[in-house]
Amino acid sequence: MTGAKTAVDWLASVAPDPDACRQEWERSPLGVALLPAGRAWDVLILPGGLGRPTLDVLTRCLDRPGPVLSDFGDDRTGFFVPPGTASRWLGTGVRSAGRGTWIVVPYPGRRSGDIRWLVPPDGTGTLTDPALLELAMHEAAAGLARDGGR
């Protein structure tokens, strides 16, 4: 439970009132919080068809990527990246959440409706390097194109 508590504290630290956020999160039957992006992290949101293969590539390259969310039946996959990444990202078909945007985040270790952690935060602040994410996306897209052409 220590890891989950540390992850909760890390995520809640970006909320306008971290204590109130933590209390509401833990009591809410939905088990989600609306948190501002752009403070401790941004989120790059890939379409599900590319997101899961990209995560597969990342996990082959890294011991542990940064936190990754999946929602709505794996239709979208959100990779937590350093703050400021969203404003510089130019990838086609990739949505971003950065400063001025908010995202729905499930309580670490719990599935909340259609939103779940594929890679939960560990509380250390580990984020996915955007350059590595981009390379993983290219490799995943190439693999999808190759597999689709057979």
Side-chain angles (χ1 to χ4, degrees), residues 5 11 22 24 30 32 43 46 58 67-68 72 80 82 84 88 102 108 124 128 145 149:
K5 184 66 171 170
L11 287 166
R22 228 179 343 270
E24 176 61 26
L30 297 176
V32 297
V43 182
L46 281 60
L58 277 176
V68 180
F72 305 111
F80 281 52
R88 297 184 306 271
W102 295 69
T124 65
T128 297

mmCIF file of all heavy atoms in Angstrom, residues 5 11 22 24 30 32 43 46 58 67-68 72 80 82 84 88 102 108 124 128 145 149:
data_model
loop_
_atom_site.group_PDB
_atom_site.id
_atom_site.type_symbol
_atom_site.label_atom_id
_atom_site.label_comp_id
_atom_site.label_asym_id
_atom_site.label_seq_id
_atom_site.Cartn_x
_atom_site.Cartn_y
_atom_site.Cartn_z
ATOM 1 N N LYS A 5 0.024 4.804 -1.875
ATOM 2 C CA LYS A 5 -0.081 6.049 -1.123
ATOM 3 C C LYS A 5 0.896 7.083 -1.670
ATOM 4 O O LYS A 5 0.551 8.246 -1.848
ATOM 5 C CB LYS A 5 0.185 5.777 0.365
ATOM 6 C CG LYS A 5 0.011 6.980 1.237
ATOM 7 C CD LYS A 5 -1.428 7.444 1.260
ATOM 8 C CE LYS A 5 -1.613 8.523 2.310
ATOM 9 N NZ LYS A 5 -2.891 9.168 2.220
ATOM 10 N N LEU A 11 0.405 12.375 -7.358
ATOM 11 C CA LEU A 11 -0.628 12.873 -8.266
ATOM 12 C C LEU A 11 -1.392 14.041 -7.651
ATOM 13 O O LEU A 11 -1.608 15.061 -8.297
ATOM 14 C CB LEU A 11 -1.595 11.751 -8.644
ATOM 15 C CG LEU A 11 -1.064 10.690 -9.604
ATOM 16 C CD1 LEU A 11 -1.988 9.479 -9.627
ATOM 17 C CD2 LEU A 11 -0.880 11.259 -10.995
ATOM 18 N N ARG A 22 -7.253 14.427 -2.229
ATOM 19 C CA ARG A 22 -6.996 13.082 -1.712
ATOM 20 C C ARG A 22 -8.222 12.532 -0.982
ATOM 21 O O ARG A 22 -8.625 11.387 -1.202
ATOM 22 C CB ARG A 22 -5.794 13.132 -0.758
ATOM 23 C CG ARG A 22 -4.766 12.095 -1.001
ATOM 24 C CD ARG A 22 -3.562 12.153 -0.067
ATOM 25 N NE ARG A 22 -3.339 13.374 0.674
ATOM 26 C CZ ARG A 22 -2.606 14.407 0.263
ATOM 27 N NH1 ARG A 22 -2.003 14.384 -0.896
ATOM 28 N NH2 ARG A 22 -2.455 15.468 1.024
ATOM 29 N N GLU A 24 -11.441 13.450 -1.281
ATOM 30 C CA GLU A 24 -12.534 13.217 -2.224
ATOM 31 C C GLU A 24 -12.271 11.974 -3.064
ATOM 32 O O GLU A 24 -13.147 11.147 -3.305
ATOM 33 C CB GLU A 24 -12.738 14.438 -3.131
ATOM 34 C CG GLU A 24 -13.788 14.254 -4.207
ATOM 35 C CD GLU A 24 -15.181 13.982 -3.661
ATOM 36 O OE1 GLU A 24 -15.488 14.402 -2.523
ATOM 37 O OE2 GLU A 24 -15.967 13.328 -4.377
ATOM 38 N N LEU A 30 -16.714 6.843 -7.656
ATOM 39 C CA LEU A 30 -16.133 6.756 -8.994
ATOM 40 C C LEU A 30 -14.631 6.516 -8.932
ATOM 41 O O LEU A 30 -14.044 5.970 -9.860
ATOM 42 C CB LEU A 30 -16.416 8.027 -9.791
ATOM 43 C CG LEU A 30 -17.877 8.333 -10.069
ATOM 44 C CD1 LEU A 30 -18.017 9.672 -10.783
ATOM 45 C CD2 LEU A 30 -18.508 7.217 -10.877
ATOM 46 N N VAL A 32 -12.181 8.678 -9.102
ATOM 47 C CA VAL A 32 -11.418 9.494 -10.049
ATOM 48 C C VAL A 32 -11.264 10.904 -9.505
ATOM 49 O O VAL A 32 -12.036 11.348 -8.654
ATOM 50 C CB VAL A 32 -12.069 9.545 -11.452
ATOM 51 C CG1 VAL A 32 -12.104 8.172 -12.088
ATOM 52 C CG2 VAL A 32 -13.441 10.171 -11.393
ATOM 53 N N VAL A 43 0.301 15.127 -20.653
ATOM 54 C CA VAL A 43 -0.131 13.819 -21.139
ATOM 55 C C VAL A 43 -0.250 13.883 -22.655
ATOM 56 O O VAL A 43 -0.890 14.785 -23.196
ATOM 57 C CB VAL A 43 -1.484 13.394 -20.519
ATOM 58 C CG1 VAL A 43 -1.879 12.009 -21.009
ATOM 59 C CG2 VAL A 43 -1.417 13.417 -18.996
ATOM 60 N N LEU A 46 -2.551 9.036 -27.397
ATOM 61 C CA LEU A 46 -2.479 8.353 -28.689
ATOM 62 C C LEU A 46 -3.758 7.567 -28.926
ATOM 63 O O LEU A 46 -4.359 7.055 -27.971
ATOM 64 C CB LEU A 46 -1.308 7.375 -28.715
ATOM 65 C CG LEU A 46 0.093 7.923 -28.942
ATOM 66 C CD1 LEU A 46 0.506 8.912 -27.882
ATOM 67 C CD2 LEU A 46 1.087 6.779 -29.006
ATOM 68 N N LEU A 58 7.885 0.452 -25.785
ATOM 69 C CA LEU A 58 8.525 1.121 -24.642
ATOM 70 C C LEU A 58 8.931 0.130 -23.560
ATOM 71 O O LEU A 58 10.018 0.238 -22.993
ATOM 72 C CB LEU A 58 7.595 2.166 -24.033
ATOM 73 C CG LEU A 58 7.557 3.525 -24.683
ATOM 74 C CD1 LEU A 58 6.508 4.396 -24.000
ATOM 75 C CD2 LEU A 58 8.911 4.206 -24.635
ATOM 76 N N PRO A 67 3.944 6.825 -16.058
ATOM 77 C CA PRO A 67 2.550 6.376 -15.975
ATOM 78 C C PRO A 67 1.847 6.418 -17.336
ATOM 79 O O PRO A 67 2.119 7.292 -18.157
ATOM 80 C CB PRO A 67 1.918 7.388 -15.015
ATOM 81 C CG PRO A 67 3.061 7.947 -14.234
ATOM 82 C CD PRO A 67 4.226 7.946 -15.168
ATOM 83 N N VAL A 68 0.953 5.436 -17.519
ATOM 84 C CA VAL A 68 0.188 5.336 -18.766
ATOM 85 C C VAL A 68 -1.256 5.002 -18.409
ATOM 86 O O VAL A 68 -1.511 4.058 -17.657
ATOM 87 C CB VAL A 68 0.762 4.244 -19.700
ATOM 88 C CG1 VAL A 68 -0.044 4.163 -20.993
ATOM 89 C CG2 VAL A 68 2.230 4.477 -19.986
ATOM 90 N N PHE A 72 -11.926 4.321 -22.199
ATOM 91 C CA PHE A 72 -12.979 4.010 -23.159
ATOM 92 C C PHE A 72 -12.665 2.803 -24.040
ATOM 93 O O PHE A 72 -12.573 2.914 -25.248
ATOM 94 C CB PHE A 72 -13.293 5.252 -24.015
ATOM 95 C CG PHE A 72 -13.639 6.451 -23.188
ATOM 96 C CD1 PHE A 72 -12.784 7.530 -23.124
ATOM 97 C CD2 PHE A 72 -14.799 6.474 -22.449
ATOM 98 C CE1 PHE A 72 -13.092 8.626 -22.340
ATOM 99 C CE2 PHE A 72 -15.121 7.572 -21.667
ATOM 100 C CZ PHE A 72 -14.267 8.643 -21.609
ATOM 101 N N PHE A 80 2.238 9.871 -19.658
ATOM 102 C CA PHE A 80 2.659 11.010 -18.846
ATOM 103 C C PHE A 80 4.098 11.363 -19.219
ATOM 104 O O PHE A 80 4.999 10.517 -19.148
ATOM 105 C CB PHE A 80 2.569 10.665 -17.362
ATOM 106 C CG PHE A 80 1.164 10.732 -16.804
ATOM 107 C CD1 PHE A 80 0.114 10.057 -17.404
ATOM 108 C CD2 PHE A 80 0.910 11.473 -15.665
ATOM 109 C CE1 PHE A 80 -1.165 10.120 -16.885
ATOM 110 C CE2 PHE A 80 -0.377 11.551 -15.140
ATOM 111 C CZ PHE A 80 -1.418 10.874 -15.752
ATOM 112 N N PRO A 82 7.127 14.915 -19.449
ATOM 113 C CA PRO A 82 7.492 16.126 -18.711
ATOM 114 C C PRO A 82 6.610 17.325 -19.076
ATOM 115 O O PRO A 82 6.153 17.451 -20.211
ATOM 116 C CB PRO A 82 8.944 16.380 -19.132
ATOM 117 C CG PRO A 82 9.466 15.028 -19.514
ATOM 118 C CD PRO A 82 8.292 14.337 -20.154
ATOM 119 N N GLY A 84 5.416 20.839 -20.304
ATOM 120 C CA GLY A 84 5.905 21.634 -21.430
ATOM 121 C C GLY A 84 5.933 20.852 -22.725
ATOM 122 O O GLY A 84 5.981 21.438 -23.807
ATOM 123 N N ARG A 88 4.948 21.737 -27.275
ATOM 124 C CA ARG A 88 5.957 21.568 -28.331
ATOM 125 C C ARG A 88 5.675 20.376 -29.251
ATOM 126 O O ARG A 88 6.358 20.200 -30.247
ATOM 127 C CB ARG A 88 7.342 21.383 -27.702
ATOM 128 C CG ARG A 88 7.829 22.573 -26.915
ATOM 129 C CD ARG A 88 9.245 22.379 -26.399
ATOM 130 N NE ARG A 88 9.449 21.167 -25.623
ATOM 131 C CZ ARG A 88 9.285 21.067 -24.304
ATOM 132 N NH1 ARG A 88 8.909 22.107 -23.613
ATOM 133 N NH2 ARG A 88 9.506 19.934 -23.686
ATOM 134 N N TRP A 102 -7.193 19.859 -18.023
ATOM 135 C CA TRP A 102 -7.415 18.962 -16.882
ATOM 136 C C TRP A 102 -7.705 17.571 -17.424
ATOM 137 O O TRP A 102 -8.292 17.426 -18.509
ATOM 138 C CB TRP A 102 -8.612 19.449 -16.067
ATOM 139 C CG TRP A 102 -8.386 20.788 -15.423
ATOM 140 C CD1 TRP A 102 -8.280 21.995 -16.052
ATOM 141 C CD2 TRP A 102 -8.217 21.043 -14.043
ATOM 142 N NE1 TRP A 102 -8.056 22.990 -15.133
ATOM 143 C CE2 TRP A 102 -8.025 22.434 -13.883
ATOM 144 C CE3 TRP A 102 -8.222 20.237 -12.907
ATOM 145 C CZ2 TRP A 102 -7.829 23.028 -12.645
ATOM 146 C CZ3 TRP A 102 -8.038 20.839 -11.671
ATOM 147 C CH2 TRP A 102 -7.835 22.214 -11.549
ATOM 148 N N PRO A 108 -4.732 5.445 -8.018
ATOM 149 C CA PRO A 108 -3.750 4.399 -8.351
ATOM 150 C C PRO A 108 -4.114 3.053 -7.723
ATOM 151 O O PRO A 108 -4.513 2.985 -6.563
ATOM 152 C CB PRO A 108 -2.446 4.931 -7.760
ATOM 153 C CG PRO A 108 -2.631 6.405 -7.725
ATOM 154 C CD PRO A 108 -4.093 6.605 -7.413
ATOM 155 N N THR A 124 7.486 8.300 -7.676
ATOM 156 C CA THR A 124 8.835 8.877 -7.751
ATOM 157 C C THR A 124 8.923 10.032 -8.739
ATOM 158 O O THR A 124 9.925 10.726 -8.776
ATOM 159 C CB THR A 124 9.871 7.818 -8.170
ATOM 160 O OG1 THR A 124 9.581 7.398 -9.506
ATOM 161 C CG2 THR A 124 9.873 6.626 -7.228
ATOM 162 N N THR A 128 7.774 9.497 -18.993
ATOM 163 C CA THR A 128 8.329 8.965 -20.234
ATOM 164 C C THR A 128 9.011 10.088 -21.004
ATOM 165 O O THR A 128 8.436 11.170 -21.178
ATOM 166 C CB THR A 128 7.213 8.325 -21.091
ATOM 167 O OG1 THR A 128 6.665 7.225 -20.355
ATOM 168 C CG2 THR A 128 7.757 7.820 -22.419
ATOM 169 N N ALA A 145 2.053 -1.284 -39.844
ATOM 170 C CA ALA A 145 2.011 -1.234 -41.315
ATOM 171 C C ALA A 145 2.503 -2.548 -41.913
ATOM 172 O O ALA A 145 1.921 -3.073 -42.856
ATOM 173 C CB ALA A 145 2.848 -0.067 -41.821
ATOM 174 N N GLY A 149 0.117 -5.372 -43.868
ATOM 175 C CA GLY A 149 0.371 -5.621 -45.283
ATOM 176 C C GLY A 149 0.488 -7.086 -45.643
ATOM 177 O O GLY A 149 0.678 -7.436 -46.793
#
